[in-house]
Amino acid sequence: MKQKRNRTARRVLACLLACLFAFPASLFVTAEDNPFEGDAAAYYLTLTEQGFPADYARSLTELHLLHPTWSFTPLLITETESTYTWDYVIAQENVLDHAGEANEAANNTISSSDTYAAYRHPTNERLYDSGKYQVSDEALSYFMDPRNFLNETDIFQFLDLSAYESVSIEAVESVLAGTFMETRMLENGKSFAEYFLEVGAELKVNPIFLAVKARQEQGVGGTSPIISGTCGTSLQTLYEADPSVGEYTEGELLALNGYYNLFNVKANGNGHFSIYYNAMTYARDTGTATMAEAWGSPSWDTLWKSLYGGAAFIKKNYVSDYVTTIYLQKFNVDSRAYGNFWKQYMQNVSGAFSEARTFYTSFASTGMLDSACTFLIPVYGGMPDAPSPDPAHGECRALVAAPLRYTSHAELSLPLSASTDGAPIYRTITANRGEELQFTGSIEHSYGVDRMEYSWDGGAWQTLCEGGALNAKIPVNHTSASSHILTVRGIAAYDPEDGTKKNNYAFLCAVLYVEIKAPDVLTVTFTDADGTDTEIVPWGTQITLPDSSDKCFIGWLASDNTFLPAGTTVKPVKDLSYRAICLDMRQLVGASLVFDEEHAHLRFSAAILDDAYTALSAISALELYASYSANGVPTLKTPIAREKVFAHGKLWQTLYADTSEISVSNTDTEYTARFSATVVYSDGTRITLSASTPNTDALTRCAREVANAALLDTDAQYPQKIHDRLVILAGVR
């Protein structure tokens, strides 16, 4: 009686808690809680108004941005039945019995392997005949808390299994790949994939789910006696080894040969004998009553009948009874369903988690992730403020949420400067109608990045670039002043055959809220040494870039970082300012000797106006070269920028290039050097300019004459070590 009173007290407490948490979650969501803008903010608000708490809504909005065809429906557990609060459901799920008999069975178990020790119950140390332990409340909370699994991969445990349309045979085949069902034919002459598709359509159950369920129940090899057709013989062998399981005759057990149970329907009990016996007697004696006339009996005496009959059993007892997701098959918590907390398809606490991975693989490997999917996600009253933690703290890799199995990093320099690890970049930018948004940056993923894609307002995904190195443009095709969402995602180097690369296909990189401007007139300004000219032109007007009087003028650098030569025709789509770029590059007279610890080199130098050097380098429009020849043999080098100097009223960037090693044997070798620059315009055209030189003599030097000149410079004071080396190179005795 004491135990009964305690249970009653707990239920009263649960009712009181339910009153506290019965208000819709949306009542507690304010505008400040909404981290999104535009249509994304509206979508987030719609989720909260349906009853999703804020932490659910944020994750689901990001998933909707990643896969716009996905939709989410809350399953309001506590609102449907007020006593079913979070604490109450956890307590009911983790009792040891469901029929008043202590220690009959544990509803939620974990493997006996030490790998999973962190999930075991702290006081119930019993190892059940199934080879598993009861789980702790903490472990149960981790697997039951939907917030832990609202990611691209693990969310498939919430997929609505009543959706069966638009499933291809290729998707079903991907689930069966590598299993005994891949090539084996059924007795009715059909492949497993063909029959899963046919049965799913007839019963209105997702065929992929049926294939996943069969794979989960029978494994890859399909070696269970339950589908061998000779399970009676296996039962007789087990009985001979342990007659304490009950009183049976050999004839009774062998009579169970010739029956099959693909989905392990009623395969329950303590120990293999009970599990096999219950599964086989159900297949023989119960089977599928509705097909008794068509089949001649209800029995599952072929593998294809057990497939059909098991699917019909799942449809009737689960999908048609408010158990329409893998999660609900494991955790029967919808009060409208029969047998809450005990009538559950599997004891393994991670069963829904594991099956979701198989389901996800079938979608990802066949390119179906962007197909329409509806997810039914439980929401409980009285949930903890934060998602229930993993008792293994992420150290049990097999049971961690998918995002902990990979890393990603997004970095943008254009159209904005931002970076983030493992999360998307959110920013607001402005653009003009007709503009092209330049994207530069890099996206990294621990799997590698296959390509980048973009989408306007949840529309079709389009390729932005191959790989993760961003240097591409996205056209702004909107013609009026308006607000839009530009989403950028990465496609990882997903590989369904590689266990280390099968947990993520697409990942969200950037969500840009784009404000489109559509002015009627534009302001275009040109600035050069003669001053600034301003033009006001109607939107869409073509203009020709003018020339400049400066003899070193090479082109116009616009405020949008385009660089074009005079005479180019452009059609501005926003206000632009152009400044004249003048490339003045001069080779300096002579050469110098430079020494390292062991070697000497001749160094030739040049100077380039810092303004042009800095501006063109910033947009990768300048390529610098230095070439020198030794006795007529040419060598090309990239010069190194050394330091800025102020001369002739202007700021210059100095450049230098060193020859190969100078030794005593080649001090008379004459080196001739020249510097040049290639300018790359935004339209792809190029020009090459050579540095100006004071005279031809400035281009040629040998080490001996440079060393002699250095020694003759009476104002120079060299360290003794350098002086000695100069003497050697000068040939002074």
Side-chain angles (χ1 to χ4, degrees):
M1 290 298 292
K2 183 177 180 181
Q3 182 182 15
K4 187 173 183 179
R5 283 197 301 272
N6 287 342
R7 286 185 177 179
T8 302
R10 285 200 301 269
R11 289 177 180 173
V12 171
L13 177 60
C15 291
L16 293 174
L17 289 172
C19 293
L20 295 176
F21 293 101
F23 298 102
S26 59
L27 293 179
F28 298 98
V29 178
T30 65
E32 289 75 16
D33 295 323
N34 192 332
F36 303 97
E37 295 182 24
D39 288 345
Y43 187 82
Y44 174 94
L45 185 60
T46 298
L47 293 175
T48 60
E49 289 173 345
Q50 291 180 61
F52 280 118
D55 48 2
Y56 278 73
R58 174 158 191 150
S59 297
L60 296 177
T61 301
E62 289 191 344
L63 279 175
H64 180 70
L65 289 166
L66 184 65
H67 297 291
T69 54
W70 289 9
S71 60
F72 312 98
T73 302
L75 178 59
L76 303 175
I77 300 297
T78 310
E79 187 171 307
T80 305
E81 170 52 62
S82 61
T83 60
Y84 282 26
T85 62
W86 174 254
D87 288 342
Y88 177 79
V89 167
I90 295 296
Q92 293 302 306
E93 276 284 341
N94 216 23
V95 295
L96 286 177
D97 64 285
H98 59 72
E101 299 178 16
N103 291 329
E104 178 185 329
N107 288 345
N108 291 279
T109 58
I110 196 71
S111 168
S112 60
S113 169
D114 289 342
T115 302
Y116 307 97
Y119 300 99
R120 295 177 190 168
H121 195 281
T123 59
N124 180 18
E125 299 180 355
R126 177 181 176 183
L127 179 63
Y128 290 90
D129 291 343
S130 60
K132 297 181 179 180
Y133 289 100
Q134 183 184 7
V135 300
S136 65
D137 283 355
E138 291 74 19
L140 184 61
S141 297
Y142 169 65
F143 286 104
M144 287 193 68
D145 193 333
R147 295 172 295 181
N148 287 320
F149 309 112
L150 301 182
N151 58 72
E152 183 193 64
T153 306
D154 300 320
I155 196 170
F156 275 85
Q157 61 190 284
F158 308 115
L159 184 69
D160 186 350
L161 302 178
S162 63
Y164 63 92
E165 302 93 339
S166 303
V167 175
S168 68
I169 192 169
E170 290 79 14
V172 180
E173 287 172 341
S174 73
V175 177
L176 306 181
T179 73
F180 71 99
M181 295 178 281
E182 181 179 17
T183 57
R184 182 173 173 179
M185 301 299 291
L186 292 163
E187 301 91 338
N188 59 6
K190 298 176 181 178
S191 70
F192 273 88
E194 290 171 333
Y195 202 49
F196 275 126
L197 202 66
E198 179 181 320
V199 170
E202 179 181 339
L203 299 178
K204 296 181 174 57
V205 180
N206 193 307
I208 297 176
F209 162 67
L210 294 176
V212 168
K213 176 64 71 176
R215 176 172 179 155
Q216 182 79 8
E217 294 297 331
Q218 301 303 334
V220 171
T223 57
S224 170
I226 290 176
I227 60 168
S228 67
T230 58
C231 193
T233 301
S234 298
L235 284 166
Q236 176 61 22
T237 301
L238 290 171
Y239 183 63
E240 290 173 353
D242 182 13
S244 67
V245 296
E247 295 184 3
Y248 302 94
T249 67
E250 181 178 357
E252 286 178 314
L253 297 178
L254 293 180
L256 293 173
N257 281 335
Y259 298 97
Y260 304 82
N261 195 330
L262 182 66
F263 290 100
N264 287 345
V265 177
K266 298 299 180 180
N268 51 34
N270 290 327
H272 290 112
F273 184 91
S274 295
I275 292 171
Y276 296 166
Y277 185 81
N278 291 336
M280 287 298 97
T281 54
Y282 188 90
R284 181 190 63 184
D285 301 336
T286 304
T288 307
T290 57
M291 299 301 293
E293 182 176 350
W295 292 350
S297 81
S299 301
W300 299 341
D301 53 12
T302 63
L303 200 51
W304 72 265
K305 289 180 182 178
S306 81
L307 189 159
Y308 182 96
F313 177 89
I314 293 171
K315 167 70 176 181
K316 176 183 177 182
N317 292 279
Y318 293 93
V319 176
S320 294
D321 188 33
Y322 300 100
V323 184
T324 54
T325 69
I326 302 172
Y327 177 95
L328 293 173
Q329 290 187 3
K330 174 65 200 88
F331 306 114
N332 186 354
V333 294
D334 188 334
S335 61
R336 297 170 296 177
Y338 173 72
N340 288 159
F341 312 122
W342 63 265
K343 182 176 177 274
Q344 300 180 156
Y345 205 93
M346 47 195 136
Q347 289 178 303
N348 181 3
V349 72
S350 64
F353 173 88
S354 300
E355 286 193 19
R357 295 288 174 86
T358 306
F359 222 101
Y360 170 77
T361 299
S362 70
F363 274 76
S365 62
T366 55
M368 291 177 55
L369 283 177
D370 287 321
S371 59
C373 293
T374 300
F375 299 93
L376 184 62
I377 307 170
V379 176
Y380 303 89
M383 296 185 74
D385 291 337
S388 304
D390 176 7
H393 307 292
E395 294 181 5
C396 180
R397 294 288 295 170
L399 299 182
V400 298
L404 296 179
R405 297 176 176 222
Y406 56 86
T407 59
S408 64
H409 175 76
E411 185 164 335
L412 294 177
S413 52
L414 287 174
L416 49 87
S417 179
S419 65
T420 184
D421 287 319
I425 294 169
Y426 288 94
R427 291 291 189 278
T428 298
I429 63 173
T430 59
N432 276 48
R433 54 176 173 167
E435 187 178 353
E436 285 187 321
L437 293 175
Q438 176 70 48
F439 271 75
T440 59
S442 63
I443 307 297
E444 298 175 353
H445 195 287
S446 54
Y447 295 177
V449 179
D450 181 68
R451 66 184 181 278
M452 303 296 300
E453 297 179 336
Y454 71 93
S455 167
W456 284 102
D457 300 320
W461 289 102
Q462 302 179 65
T463 298
L464 179 59
C465 65
E466 300 298 324
L470 281 174
N471 187 11
K473 293 180 179 180
I474 295 178
V476 178
N477 295 323
H478 309 289
T479 58
S480 61
S482 51
S483 299
H484 301 272
I485 294 179
L486 176 60
T487 307
V488 178
R489 74 177 183 181
I491 303 299
Y494 171 84
D495 184 353
E497 304 301 323
D498 186 343
T500 65
K501 292 186 175 183
K502 63 184 298 184
N503 298 286
N504 183 229
Y505 177 82
F507 58 103
L508 198 59
C509 299
V511 179
L512 305 181
Y513 307 109
V514 185
E515 297 293 333
I516 306 297
K517 294 182 177 181
D520 294 326
V521 295
L522 302 173
T523 301
V524 183
T525 61
F526 296 91
T527 302
D528 62 7
D530 296 330
T532 299
D533 291 329
T534 301
E535 295 184 31
I536 305 298
V537 299
W539 191 93
T541 300
Q542 287 189 338
I543 62 175
T544 300
L545 300 183
D547 209 338
S548 175
S549 60
D550 194 304
K551 65 178 182 179
C552 296
F553 171 78
I554 58 170
W556 296 98
L557 179 61
S559 52
D560 64 356
N561 286 321
T562 56
F563 180 57
L564 294 166
T568 303
T569 299
V570 297
K571 184 189 289 186
V573 295
K574 60 182 178 180
D575 293 344
L576 287 175
S577 59
Y578 288 90
R579 64 184 175 106
I581 299 297
C582 300
L583 186 65
D584 189 353
M585 186 165 64
R586 305 180 186 184
Q587 185 150 338
L588 304 184
V589 174
S592 59
L593 272 168
V594 292
F595 298 91
D596 55 28
E597 288 297 322
E598 299 179 4
H599 309 296
H601 306 266
L602 278 176
R603 173 169 293 178
F604 291 91
S605 300
I608 183 172
L609 275 179
D610 182 69
D611 177 67
Y613 175 84
T614 301
L616 297 181
S617 296
I619 60 171
S620 301
L622 183 65
E623 299 171 359
L624 295 173
Y625 303 97
S627 61
Y628 70 87
S629 59
N631 294 330
V633 179
T635 300
L636 186 67
K637 299 189 71 172
T638 300
I640 299 173
R642 183 170 54 178
E643 59 185 8
K644 295 180 182 181
V645 297
F646 194 81
H648 307 294
K650 298 177 180 179
L651 188 62
W652 301 80
Q653 184 78 46
T654 58
L655 311 171
Y656 71 86
D658 294 344
T659 67
S660 57
E661 177 186 343
I662 305 293
S663 64
V664 176
S665 62
N666 66 345
T667 56
D668 291 322
T669 300
E670 290 193 336
Y671 291 87
T672 300
R674 292 299 302 265
F675 286 79
S676 61
T678 295
V679 176
V680 183
Y681 294 103
S682 298
D683 61 4
T685 59
R686 305 161 72 95
I687 61 170
T688 298
L689 305 171
S690 296
S692 61
T693 56
N695 53 65
T696 306
D697 290 342
L699 306 180
T700 304
R701 288 292 185 273
C702 70
R704 183 185 298 278
E705 64 179 319
V706 174
N708 271 307
L711 291 172
L712 292 173
D713 186 355
T714 57
D715 293 330
Q717 295 182 3
Y718 303 108
Q720 187 61 45
K721 186 176 181 179
I722 297 298
H723 182 274
D724 294 343
R725 295 178 74 175
L726 286 171
V727 168
I728 293 172
L729 291 175
V732 178
R733 289 182 170 80

